Amino acid sequence: MPASYAYLGPEGTFTEAALRTLPETATRELVPYVSVQSALDAVRAGEAEAAFVPIENSVEGGITTTLDELVAGAPLMIYREVLLSITFALLVRPGTKLSDIKTVSAHPAAQPQVRNWLKNNLPDAHWESAASNADAARLVQEGQYDAAFAGEFAAALYGLEALESGIHDAENAQTRFVLVGRPARPAAPTGADKTSVVLWQRDDHPGALRDLLGEFATRGINLMLLQSRPTGAGIGNYCFCIDAEGHISDRRVAEALMGLKRICLEVRFLGSYPRADVGVEDVSAPRTGTSDEAFVSASDWVARCQDGRF
Ligand SMILES: O=C(O)C(=O)Cc1ccccc1
């Protein structure tokens, strides 16, 4: 198995900065890819052990290219998540003034995070999307655009300077990144875990989504992400990407997944992995009747009833 991690590059992305916070990167080769899709395909092809990509931000929600890749194609699994607080710098070629800027570029997920700043400071600048924020910086260096929104740390890599830094429309904007690999046994539960799945409804009927959500609700499982994505089968056809509290080895989570498997057309398990937002000490105890012990004793009781030993 090659000891390399693919990531959304080029060098100097927020993705790279978040990836470098993982201790195991000291013993891995980190290989930049031009897109989320190509980084994930490197994993599918066995060229990389895992890929590190952005999946969600606190301003706009899910990063749809990543969700769509996880929803379709050969199955992949989330091993880890990392949260990074993000503020942008406006990177320009040395000597550029604000009044010189006619075009600005960044990853599409950056736009909602800098929209107000742009309206107030560069209302006439033309927005051009780039494959990543660092790629936008590279294109500014090449002279294709006048300015890029990227991490301040990317300036030196691309011979640029930060005309302004600390740009963020929303306070405490965070981006969530995931380490994605081929399907494998999930890491053991830590006590503060998250489980990701994709659900496809079997048929369209009133309350269909409520039925899916009910499988979590009746077992006391809190949800942390619910994002619908078009299935491609026509208007009104959606699948649902869901992050739920807990680990597949928790009885309540396993039972919820069994319930979903029975009622859904398809369920794709995307992994159980440690939560980056809280530690074990911050996780509240399971709601009454939803602990592993409660499930075990209820199932023992049914077995005794079936045996006539109640
Ligand atoms: O990692 C990057 O630099 C990216 O281009 C993805 C991204 C976009 C917006 C905020 C954080 C990460």
Side-chain angles (χ1 to χ4, degrees), residues 199-263:
L199 309 176
W200 285 262
Q201 314 177 167
R202 191 178 289 284
D203 52 34
D204 194 18
H205 61 267
L209 177 59
R210 195 185 63 176
D211 291 349
L212 304 188
L213 300 182
E215 297 293 332
F216 295 102
T218 55
R219 295 170 179 97
I221 300 169
N222 199 31
L223 300 185
M224 309 166 84
L225 173 100
L226 170 62
Q227 176 114 25
S228 56
R229 294 297 305 147
T231 61
I235 292 285
N237 276 286
Y238 288 90
C239 61
F240 301 100
C241 300
I242 290 182
D243 285 355
E245 263 180 30
H247 192 281
I248 192 167
S249 67
D250 295 332
R251 284 292 289 260
R252 62 186 169 283
V253 175
E255 297 261 347
L257 295 186
M258 282 193 278
L260 290 165
K261 186 71 188 160
R262 284 187 287 102
I263 64 173

Short mmCIF file of all heavy atoms in Angstrom, two decimals, residues 199-263:
data_model
loop_
_atom_site.label_atom_id
_atom_site.label_comp_id
_atom_site.label_asym_id
_atom_site.label_seq_id
_atom_site.Cartn_x
_atom_site.Cartn_y
_atom_site.Cartn_z
N LEU A 199 -28.77 8.08 1.95
CA LEU A 199 -30.03 7.31 1.90
C LEU A 199 -30.78 7.62 0.61
O LEU A 199 -30.88 8.78 0.22
CB LEU A 199 -30.93 7.70 3.08
CG LEU A 199 -30.31 7.67 4.48
CD1 LEU A 199 -31.31 8.18 5.50
CD2 LEU A 199 -29.86 6.25 4.83
N TRP A 200 -31.29 6.58 -0.01
CA TRP A 200 -32.17 6.73 -1.17
C TRP A 200 -33.54 6.18 -0.79
O TRP A 200 -33.63 5.01 -0.36
CB TRP A 200 -31.65 5.93 -2.37
CG TRP A 200 -30.47 6.54 -3.06
CD1 TRP A 200 -30.49 7.30 -4.19
CD2 TRP A 200 -29.07 6.41 -2.69
NE1 TRP A 200 -29.20 7.65 -4.54
CE2 TRP A 200 -28.32 7.13 -3.64
CE3 TRP A 200 -28.39 5.78 -1.65
CZ2 TRP A 200 -26.93 7.21 -3.59
CZ3 TRP A 200 -27.01 5.86 -1.59
CH2 TRP A 200 -26.30 6.58 -2.54
N GLN A 201 -34.61 6.99 -0.92
CA GLN A 201 -35.95 6.53 -0.56
C GLN A 201 -36.40 5.44 -1.53
O GLN A 201 -36.07 5.50 -2.71
CB GLN A 201 -36.99 7.63 -0.67
CG GLN A 201 -36.63 8.90 -0.11
CD GLN A 201 -37.66 9.99 -0.31
OE1 GLN A 201 -37.53 10.97 0.33
NE2 GLN A 201 -38.65 9.84 -1.18
N ARG A 202 -37.23 4.54 -1.02
CA ARG A 202 -37.76 3.48 -1.87
C ARG A 202 -38.85 4.03 -2.79
O ARG A 202 -38.90 3.71 -3.96
CB ARG A 202 -38.33 2.37 -0.98
CG ARG A 202 -38.67 1.09 -1.71
CD ARG A 202 -39.18 0.04 -0.75
NE ARG A 202 -38.14 -0.48 0.11
CZ ARG A 202 -37.20 -1.33 -0.27
NH1 ARG A 202 -37.17 -1.76 -1.51
NH2 ARG A 202 -36.28 -1.77 0.57
N ASP A 203 -39.72 4.85 -2.23
CA ASP A 203 -40.79 5.44 -3.06
C ASP A 203 -41.15 6.80 -2.48
O ASP A 203 -40.76 7.14 -1.37
CB ASP A 203 -42.02 4.54 -3.13
CG ASP A 203 -42.49 4.15 -1.74
OD1 ASP A 203 -42.35 5.00 -0.82
OD2 ASP A 203 -42.98 3.03 -1.55
N ASP A 204 -41.88 7.57 -3.31
CA ASP A 204 -42.26 8.91 -2.90
C ASP A 204 -43.64 8.84 -2.25
O ASP A 204 -44.58 8.36 -2.88
CB ASP A 204 -42.30 9.78 -4.16
CG ASP A 204 -42.34 11.25 -3.80
OD1 ASP A 204 -41.99 11.59 -2.66
OD2 ASP A 204 -42.74 12.05 -4.67
N HIS A 205 -43.76 9.23 -1.00
CA HIS A 205 -45.07 9.27 -0.35
C HIS A 205 -45.03 10.34 0.74
O HIS A 205 -43.94 10.71 1.20
CB HIS A 205 -45.45 7.90 0.23
CG HIS A 205 -44.50 7.42 1.28
ND1 HIS A 205 -43.42 6.62 1.00
CD2 HIS A 205 -44.44 7.65 2.61
CE1 HIS A 205 -42.75 6.36 2.11
NE2 HIS A 205 -43.35 6.98 3.10
N PRO A 206 -46.21 10.82 1.15
CA PRO A 206 -46.21 11.86 2.19
C PRO A 206 -45.49 11.33 3.44
O PRO A 206 -45.75 10.21 3.88
CB PRO A 206 -47.70 12.09 2.47
CG PRO A 206 -48.40 11.62 1.23
CD PRO A 206 -47.57 10.49 0.69
N GLY A 207 -44.55 12.11 3.94
CA GLY A 207 -43.84 11.69 5.15
C GLY A 207 -42.65 10.78 4.90
O GLY A 207 -42.10 10.21 5.84
N ALA A 208 -42.24 10.62 3.62
CA ALA A 208 -41.13 9.68 3.33
C ALA A 208 -39.85 10.11 4.06
O ALA A 208 -39.16 9.28 4.65
CB ALA A 208 -40.89 9.62 1.82
N LEU A 209 -39.57 11.42 4.03
CA LEU A 209 -38.35 11.87 4.72
C LEU A 209 -38.52 11.73 6.23
O LEU A 209 -37.59 11.32 6.93
CB LEU A 209 -38.04 13.33 4.34
CG LEU A 209 -36.84 13.95 5.05
CD1 LEU A 209 -35.57 13.16 4.78
CD2 LEU A 209 -36.65 15.40 4.61
N ARG A 210 -39.74 12.00 6.73
CA ARG A 210 -39.97 11.85 8.17
C ARG A 210 -39.75 10.40 8.59
O ARG A 210 -39.22 10.13 9.67
CB ARG A 210 -41.39 12.30 8.51
CG ARG A 210 -41.59 12.51 10.00
CD ARG A 210 -43.00 12.84 10.35
NE ARG A 210 -43.89 11.73 10.01
CZ ARG A 210 -45.18 11.72 10.28
NH1 ARG A 210 -45.73 12.75 10.88
NH2 ARG A 210 -45.94 10.69 9.95
N ASP A 211 -40.14 9.46 7.72
CA ASP A 211 -39.93 8.03 8.05
C ASP A 211 -38.43 7.73 8.20
O ASP A 211 -38.03 7.00 9.10
CB ASP A 211 -40.52 7.13 6.96
CG ASP A 211 -42.03 7.18 6.94
OD1 ASP A 211 -42.62 7.74 7.89
OD2 ASP A 211 -42.62 6.67 5.97
N LEU A 212 -37.63 8.29 7.29
CA LEU A 212 -36.18 8.06 7.38
C LEU A 212 -35.62 8.66 8.67
O LEU A 212 -34.88 8.01 9.41
CB LEU A 212 -35.44 8.68 6.19
CG LEU A 212 -35.87 8.26 4.78
CD1 LEU A 212 -34.91 8.81 3.74
CD2 LEU A 212 -35.94 6.75 4.66
N LEU A 213 -36.02 9.91 8.93
CA LEU A 213 -35.49 10.61 10.11
C LEU A 213 -35.97 9.94 11.40
O LEU A 213 -35.28 9.93 12.42
CB LEU A 213 -35.90 12.08 10.09
CG LEU A 213 -35.40 12.86 8.86
CD1 LEU A 213 -35.82 14.32 8.96
CD2 LEU A 213 -33.88 12.76 8.72
N GLY A 214 -37.18 9.34 11.32
CA GLY A 214 -37.75 8.68 12.50
C GLY A 214 -36.88 7.53 12.99
O GLY A 214 -36.86 7.22 14.19
N GLU A 215 -36.15 6.88 12.08
CA GLU A 215 -35.28 5.76 12.49
C GLU A 215 -34.20 6.26 13.45
O GLU A 215 -33.76 5.53 14.34
CB GLU A 215 -34.63 5.10 11.26
CG GLU A 215 -35.64 4.45 10.31
CD GLU A 215 -36.34 3.23 10.93
OE1 GLU A 215 -35.75 2.58 11.81
OE2 GLU A 215 -37.49 2.96 10.53
N PHE A 216 -33.75 7.50 13.23
CA PHE A 216 -32.77 8.09 14.15
C PHE A 216 -33.47 8.59 15.42
O PHE A 216 -33.02 8.35 16.53
CB PHE A 216 -32.04 9.26 13.48
CG PHE A 216 -31.19 8.87 12.30
CD1 PHE A 216 -31.61 9.09 11.00
CD2 PHE A 216 -29.95 8.27 12.50
CE1 PHE A 216 -30.83 8.73 9.92
CE2 PHE A 216 -29.16 7.90 11.42
CZ PHE A 216 -29.60 8.14 10.12
N ALA A 217 -34.59 9.29 15.22
CA ALA A 217 -35.26 9.95 16.35
C ALA A 217 -35.69 8.96 17.42
O ALA A 217 -35.46 9.18 18.61
CB ALA A 217 -36.47 10.75 15.84
N THR A 218 -36.27 7.83 17.00
CA THR A 218 -36.80 6.89 18.00
C THR A 218 -35.67 6.23 18.79
O THR A 218 -35.91 5.65 19.83
CB THR A 218 -37.66 5.77 17.38
OG1 THR A 218 -36.88 5.13 16.39
CG2 THR A 218 -38.93 6.29 16.78
N ARG A 219 -34.47 6.30 18.29
CA ARG A 219 -33.34 5.71 19.02
C ARG A 219 -32.47 6.77 19.68
O ARG A 219 -31.33 6.51 20.08
CB ARG A 219 -32.52 4.84 18.06
CG ARG A 219 -33.35 3.65 17.59
CD ARG A 219 -32.71 2.88 16.47
NE ARG A 219 -33.56 1.75 16.10
CZ ARG A 219 -34.43 1.78 15.08
NH1 ARG A 219 -34.57 2.86 14.34
NH2 ARG A 219 -35.16 0.72 14.81
N GLY A 220 -33.00 7.98 19.76
CA GLY A 220 -32.32 9.06 20.50
C GLY A 220 -31.04 9.53 19.84
O GLY A 220 -30.10 9.95 20.53
N ILE A 221 -30.98 9.45 18.50
CA ILE A 221 -29.73 9.82 17.80
C ILE A 221 -29.87 11.22 17.20
O ILE A 221 -30.77 11.47 16.39
CB ILE A 221 -29.42 8.80 16.68
CG1 ILE A 221 -29.24 7.41 17.29
CG2 ILE A 221 -28.17 9.22 15.90
CD1 ILE A 221 -29.18 6.30 16.25
N ASN A 222 -28.96 12.08 17.59
CA ASN A 222 -28.95 13.46 17.10
C ASN A 222 -28.31 13.50 15.71
O ASN A 222 -27.35 12.79 15.45
CB ASN A 222 -28.12 14.29 18.09
CG ASN A 222 -28.41 15.76 17.95
OD1 ASN A 222 -29.52 16.16 17.61
ND2 ASN A 222 -27.40 16.57 18.21
N LEU A 223 -28.85 14.38 14.84
CA LEU A 223 -28.26 14.52 13.50
C LEU A 223 -27.42 15.79 13.43
O LEU A 223 -27.76 16.79 14.08
CB LEU A 223 -29.35 14.56 12.44
CG LEU A 223 -30.25 13.33 12.36
CD1 LEU A 223 -31.21 13.46 11.18
CD2 LEU A 223 -29.42 12.06 12.23
N MET A 224 -26.36 15.74 12.66
CA MET A 224 -25.44 16.89 12.58
C MET A 224 -25.36 17.45 11.17
O MET A 224 -24.84 18.55 10.97
CB MET A 224 -24.06 16.45 13.03
CG MET A 224 -24.15 15.75 14.37
SD MET A 224 -22.68 14.90 14.75
CE MET A 224 -21.78 16.24 15.44
N LEU A 225 -25.82 16.71 10.18
CA LEU A 225 -25.85 17.23 8.80
C LEU A 225 -26.98 16.51 8.07
O LEU A 225 -27.15 15.30 8.22
CB LEU A 225 -24.52 16.92 8.09
CG LEU A 225 -24.49 17.25 6.59
CD1 LEU A 225 -23.80 18.59 6.34
CD2 LEU A 225 -23.77 16.20 5.78
N LEU A 226 -27.76 17.27 7.33
CA LEU A 226 -28.77 16.68 6.45
C LEU A 226 -28.72 17.49 5.17
O LEU A 226 -29.07 18.67 5.17
CB LEU A 226 -30.16 16.75 7.08
CG LEU A 226 -31.33 16.38 6.16
CD1 LEU A 226 -31.24 14.95 5.68
CD2 LEU A 226 -32.66 16.60 6.87
N GLN A 227 -28.24 16.88 4.11
CA GLN A 227 -28.13 17.62 2.85
C GLN A 227 -28.71 16.76 1.74
O GLN A 227 -28.33 15.59 1.57
CB GLN A 227 -26.64 17.91 2.57
CG GLN A 227 -26.40 18.57 1.25
CD GLN A 227 -25.87 19.98 1.37
OE1 GLN A 227 -25.26 20.34 2.37
NE2 GLN A 227 -26.08 20.79 0.34
N SER A 228 -29.68 17.32 1.01
CA SER A 228 -30.24 16.56 -0.10
C SER A 228 -29.40 16.83 -1.35
O SER A 228 -28.91 17.95 -1.55
CB SER A 228 -31.69 16.94 -0.34
OG SER A 228 -31.80 18.32 -0.54
N ARG A 229 -29.22 15.82 -2.17
CA ARG A 229 -28.50 15.96 -3.44
C ARG A 229 -29.34 15.31 -4.53
O ARG A 229 -29.90 14.22 -4.32
CB ARG A 229 -27.13 15.27 -3.39
CG ARG A 229 -26.15 15.89 -2.42
CD ARG A 229 -25.78 17.33 -2.81
NE ARG A 229 -25.28 17.45 -4.15
CZ ARG A 229 -25.49 18.55 -4.91
NH1 ARG A 229 -26.17 19.58 -4.45
NH2 ARG A 229 -25.02 18.61 -6.12
N PRO A 230 -29.43 15.93 -5.70
CA PRO A 230 -30.21 15.33 -6.78
C PRO A 230 -29.62 13.97 -7.18
O PRO A 230 -28.40 13.82 -7.20
CB PRO A 230 -30.05 16.33 -7.94
CG PRO A 230 -29.44 17.56 -7.37
CD PRO A 230 -28.77 17.19 -6.09
N THR A 231 -30.51 13.00 -7.46
CA THR A 231 -29.99 11.68 -7.87
C THR A 231 -29.62 11.68 -9.35
O THR A 231 -28.97 10.75 -9.82
CB THR A 231 -31.05 10.57 -7.67
OG1 THR A 231 -32.17 10.91 -8.49
CG2 THR A 231 -31.48 10.45 -6.23
N GLY A 232 -30.09 12.70 -10.09
CA GLY A 232 -29.84 12.73 -11.54
C GLY A 232 -30.98 12.09 -12.30
O GLY A 232 -31.01 12.11 -13.53
N ALA A 233 -31.98 11.53 -11.57
CA ALA A 233 -33.08 10.82 -12.25
C ALA A 233 -34.26 11.75 -12.58
O ALA A 233 -35.31 11.27 -12.96
CB ALA A 233 -33.54 9.66 -11.39
N GLY A 234 -34.08 13.06 -12.41
CA GLY A 234 -35.16 13.98 -12.77
C GLY A 234 -35.51 14.89 -11.61
O GLY A 234 -35.14 14.63 -10.46
N ILE A 235 -36.25 15.96 -11.95
CA ILE A 235 -36.64 16.95 -10.94
C ILE A 235 -37.39 16.26 -9.80
O ILE A 235 -38.25 15.42 -10.03
CB ILE A 235 -37.57 18.03 -11.59
CG1 ILE A 235 -36.79 18.88 -12.59
CG2 ILE A 235 -38.24 18.90 -10.54
CD1 ILE A 235 -35.85 19.88 -12.00
N GLY A 236 -37.03 16.62 -8.58
CA GLY A 236 -37.74 16.06 -7.43
C GLY A 236 -37.14 14.77 -6.91
O GLY A 236 -37.60 14.23 -5.90
N ASN A 237 -36.10 14.25 -7.58
CA ASN A 237 -35.46 13.01 -7.12
C ASN A 237 -34.18 13.33 -6.35
O ASN A 237 -33.21 13.81 -6.94
CB ASN A 237 -35.10 12.12 -8.31
CG ASN A 237 -36.27 11.29 -8.75
OD1 ASN A 237 -36.61 10.31 -8.08
ND2 ASN A 237 -36.88 11.68 -9.83
N TYR A 238 -34.22 13.05 -5.07
CA TYR A 238 -33.07 13.40 -4.22
C TYR A 238 -32.63 12.22 -3.37
O TYR A 238 -33.45 11.36 -3.01
CB TYR A 238 -33.45 14.55 -3.26
CG TYR A 238 -33.58 15.87 -3.97
CD1 TYR A 238 -34.79 16.28 -4.50
CD2 TYR A 238 -32.47 16.69 -4.14
CE1 TYR A 238 -34.91 17.48 -5.18
CE2 TYR A 238 -32.57 17.89 -4.82
CZ TYR A 238 -33.79 18.29 -5.33
OH TYR A 238 -33.88 19.47 -6.01
N CYS A 239 -31.35 12.18 -3.06
CA CYS A 239 -30.88 11.30 -1.99
C CYS A 239 -30.46 12.20 -0.83
O CYS A 239 -30.36 13.43 -1.00
CB CYS A 239 -29.73 10.40 -2.45
SG CYS A 239 -28.27 11.27 -2.98
N PHE A 240 -30.24 11.63 0.34
CA PHE A 240 -29.97 12.43 1.54
C PHE A 240 -28.65 12.03 2.18
O PHE A 240 -28.45 10.85 2.49
CB PHE A 240 -31.12 12.28 2.55
CG PHE A 240 -32.44 12.71 1.99
CD1 PHE A 240 -33.35 11.77 1.51
CD2 PHE A 240 -32.76 14.05 1.87
CE1 PHE A 240 -34.56 12.16 0.95
CE2 PHE A 240 -33.96 14.46 1.31
CZ PHE A 240 -34.86 13.52 0.85
N CYS A 241 -27.77 13.01 2.32
CA CYS A 241 -26.49 12.78 3.02
C CYS A 241 -26.72 13.17 4.47
O CYS A 241 -27.14 14.30 4.76
CB CYS A 241 -25.39 13.66 2.44
SG CYS A 241 -25.10 13.37 0.69
N ILE A 242 -26.46 12.23 5.38
CA ILE A 242 -26.75 12.45 6.79
C ILE A 242 -25.53 12.14 7.64
O ILE A 242 -24.86 11.12 7.43
CB ILE A 242 -27.96 11.57 7.22
CG1 ILE A 242 -29.22 12.13 6.56
CG2 ILE A 242 -28.10 11.51 8.74
CD1 ILE A 242 -30.50 11.42 6.92
N ASP A 243 -25.23 13.03 8.58
CA ASP A 243 -24.25 12.74 9.63
C ASP A 243 -25.01 12.62 10.94
O ASP A 243 -25.80 13.51 11.29
CB ASP A 243 -23.24 13.89 9.80
CG ASP A 243 -22.22 13.94 8.68
OD1 ASP A 243 -22.22 13.03 7.83
OD2 ASP A 243 -21.41 14.89 8.67
N ALA A 244 -24.79 11.52 11.65
CA ALA A 244 -25.50 11.28 12.91
C ALA A 244 -24.48 11.08 14.02
O ALA A 244 -23.38 10.57 13.78
CB ALA A 244 -26.37 10.03 12.76
N GLU A 245 -24.88 11.45 15.22
CA GLU A 245 -24.00 11.23 16.38
C GLU A 245 -23.88 9.75 16.66
O GLU A 245 -24.88 9.02 16.58
CB GLU A 245 -24.59 11.92 17.61
CG GLU A 245 -24.00 13.28 17.86
CD GLU A 245 -24.60 13.94 19.10
OE1 GLU A 245 -24.99 13.24 20.04
OE2 GLU A 245 -24.69 15.17 19.07
N GLY A 246 -22.67 9.31 17.01
CA GLY A 246 -22.49 7.93 17.43
C GLY A 246 -21.71 7.11 16.40
O GLY A 246 -21.39 7.58 15.31
N HIS A 247 -21.41 5.87 16.79
CA HIS A 247 -20.55 4.97 16.03
C HIS A 247 -21.35 3.74 15.63
O HIS A 247 -22.25 3.33 16.38
CB HIS A 247 -19.37 4.57 16.94
CG HIS A 247 -18.25 3.90 16.24
ND1 HIS A 247 -18.27 2.57 15.89
CD2 HIS A 247 -17.03 4.36 15.81
CE1 HIS A 247 -17.14 2.25 15.29
NE2 HIS A 247 -16.36 3.32 15.23
N ILE A 248 -21.04 3.15 14.49
CA ILE A 248 -21.82 1.98 14.04
C ILE A 248 -21.75 0.83 15.05
O ILE A 248 -22.61 -0.05 15.06
CB ILE A 248 -21.39 1.52 12.62
CG1 ILE A 248 -22.39 0.51 12.06
CG2 ILE A 248 -19.94 0.99 12.63
CD1 ILE A 248 -22.25 0.21 10.60
N SER A 249 -20.75 0.85 15.93
CA SER A 249 -20.71 -0.22 16.94
C SER A 249 -21.59 0.12 18.15
O SER A 249 -21.75 -0.72 19.03
CB SER A 249 -19.27 -0.51 17.36
OG SER A 249 -18.76 0.61 18.04
N ASP A 250 -22.16 1.32 18.21
CA ASP A 250 -23.18 1.61 19.24
C ASP A 250 -24.47 0.90 18.81
O ASP A 250 -24.87 1.01 17.64
CB ASP A 250 -23.49 3.13 19.33
CG ASP A 250 -22.29 3.93 19.81
OD1 ASP A 250 -21.47 3.38 20.56
OD2 ASP A 250 -22.20 5.11 19.42
N ARG A 251 -25.12 0.23 19.74
CA ARG A 251 -26.32 -0.54 19.38
C ARG A 251 -27.39 0.35 18.75
O ARG A 251 -28.04 -0.04 17.80
CB ARG A 251 -26.90 -1.25 20.61
CG ARG A 251 -26.12 -2.48 21.04
CD ARG A 251 -26.23 -3.62 20.03
NE ARG A 251 -27.54 -4.24 19.99
CZ ARG A 251 -27.86 -5.39 20.59
NH1 ARG A 251 -26.95 -6.04 21.28
NH2 ARG A 251 -29.07 -5.88 20.48
N ARG A 252 -27.57 1.57 19.32
CA ARG A 252 -28.66 2.41 18.79
C ARG A 252 -28.38 2.81 17.34
O ARG A 252 -29.29 2.91 16.51
CB ARG A 252 -28.90 3.63 19.67
CG ARG A 252 -27.76 4.59 19.80
CD ARG A 252 -28.04 5.69 20.82
NE ARG A 252 -26.84 6.44 21.10
CZ ARG A 252 -25.85 6.01 21.88
NH1 ARG A 252 -25.95 4.83 22.47
NH2 ARG A 252 -24.77 6.74 22.06
N VAL A 253 -27.09 3.05 17.01
CA VAL A 253 -26.75 3.44 15.63
C VAL A 253 -26.92 2.23 14.71
O VAL A 253 -27.51 2.33 13.63
CB VAL A 253 -25.31 4.01 15.57
CG1 VAL A 253 -24.91 4.30 14.12
CG2 VAL A 253 -25.21 5.27 16.43
N ALA A 254 -26.42 1.06 15.14
CA ALA A 254 -26.56 -0.15 14.32
C ALA A 254 -28.04 -0.45 14.06
O ALA A 254 -28.44 -0.78 12.94
CB ALA A 254 -25.88 -1.33 15.01
N GLU A 255 -28.87 -0.30 15.11
CA GLU A 255 -30.31 -0.58 14.95
C GLU A 255 -30.95 0.43 14.00
O GLU A 255 -31.82 0.08 13.21
CB GLU A 255 -31.02 -0.52 16.31
CG GLU A 255 -30.53 -1.57 17.29
CD GLU A 255 -31.43 -2.80 17.37
OE1 GLU A 255 -32.55 -2.74 16.85
OE2 GLU A 255 -30.98 -3.80 17.95
N ALA A 256 -30.54 1.70 14.08
CA ALA A 256 -31.09 2.71 13.17
C ALA A 256 -30.70 2.37 11.73
O ALA A 256 -31.53 2.47 10.81
CB ALA A 256 -30.58 4.10 13.55
N LEU A 257 -29.45 1.94 11.53
CA LEU A 257 -29.01 1.60 10.17
C LEU A 257 -29.77 0.37 9.65
O LEU A 257 -30.14 0.31 8.47
CB LEU A 257 -27.50 1.36 10.12
CG LEU A 257 -26.62 2.58 10.44
CD1 LEU A 257 -25.15 2.25 10.23
CD2 LEU A 257 -27.01 3.78 9.59
N MET A 258 -30.05 -0.58 10.55
CA MET A 258 -30.85 -1.75 10.13
C MET A 258 -32.25 -1.31 9.73
O MET A 258 -32.79 -1.77 8.72
CB MET A 258 -30.93 -2.78 11.26
CG MET A 258 -29.66 -3.60 11.40
SD MET A 258 -29.93 -5.02 12.46
CE MET A 258 -29.74 -4.30 14.06
N GLY A 259 -32.82 -0.40 10.52
CA GLY A 259 -34.16 0.11 10.20
C GLY A 259 -34.16 0.80 8.84
O GLY A 259 -35.06 0.60 8.02
N LEU A 260 -33.13 1.60 8.58
CA LEU A 260 -33.04 2.31 7.31
C LEU A 260 -32.85 1.33 6.16
O LEU A 260 -33.43 1.48 5.09
CB LEU A 260 -31.88 3.31 7.36
CG LEU A 260 -32.14 4.50 8.29
CD1 LEU A 260 -30.83 5.24 8.59
CD2 LEU A 260 -33.16 5.45 7.69
N LYS A 261 -32.03 0.32 6.39
CA LYS A 261 -31.77 -0.68 5.34
C LYS A 261 -33.06 -1.37 4.94
O LYS A 261 -33.28 -1.70 3.77
CB LYS A 261 -30.75 -1.69 5.87
CG LYS A 261 -30.27 -2.71 4.87
CD LYS A 261 -29.36 -2.08 3.83
CE LYS A 261 -29.05 -3.07 2.72
NZ LYS A 261 -28.59 -2.39 1.51
N ARG A 262 -33.96 -1.58 5.93
CA ARG A 262 -35.23 -2.24 5.62
C ARG A 262 -36.15 -1.36 4.81
O ARG A 262 -36.87 -1.85 3.94
CB ARG A 262 -35.94 -2.67 6.93
CG ARG A 262 -35.33 -3.91 7.58
CD ARG A 262 -36.15 -4.39 8.76
NE ARG A 262 -36.02 -3.54 9.92
CZ ARG A 262 -36.90 -2.64 10.34
NH1 ARG A 262 -38.03 -2.49 9.70
NH2 ARG A 262 -36.69 -1.91 11.41
N ILE A 263 -36.12 -0.02 5.07
CA ILE A 263 -37.14 0.82 4.40
C ILE A 263 -36.60 1.61 3.20
O ILE A 263 -37.39 2.14 2.43
CB ILE A 263 -37.82 1.78 5.40
CG1 ILE A 263 -36.84 2.78 5.99
CG2 ILE A 263 -38.52 0.99 6.50
CD1 ILE A 263 -37.52 3.85 6.84
#
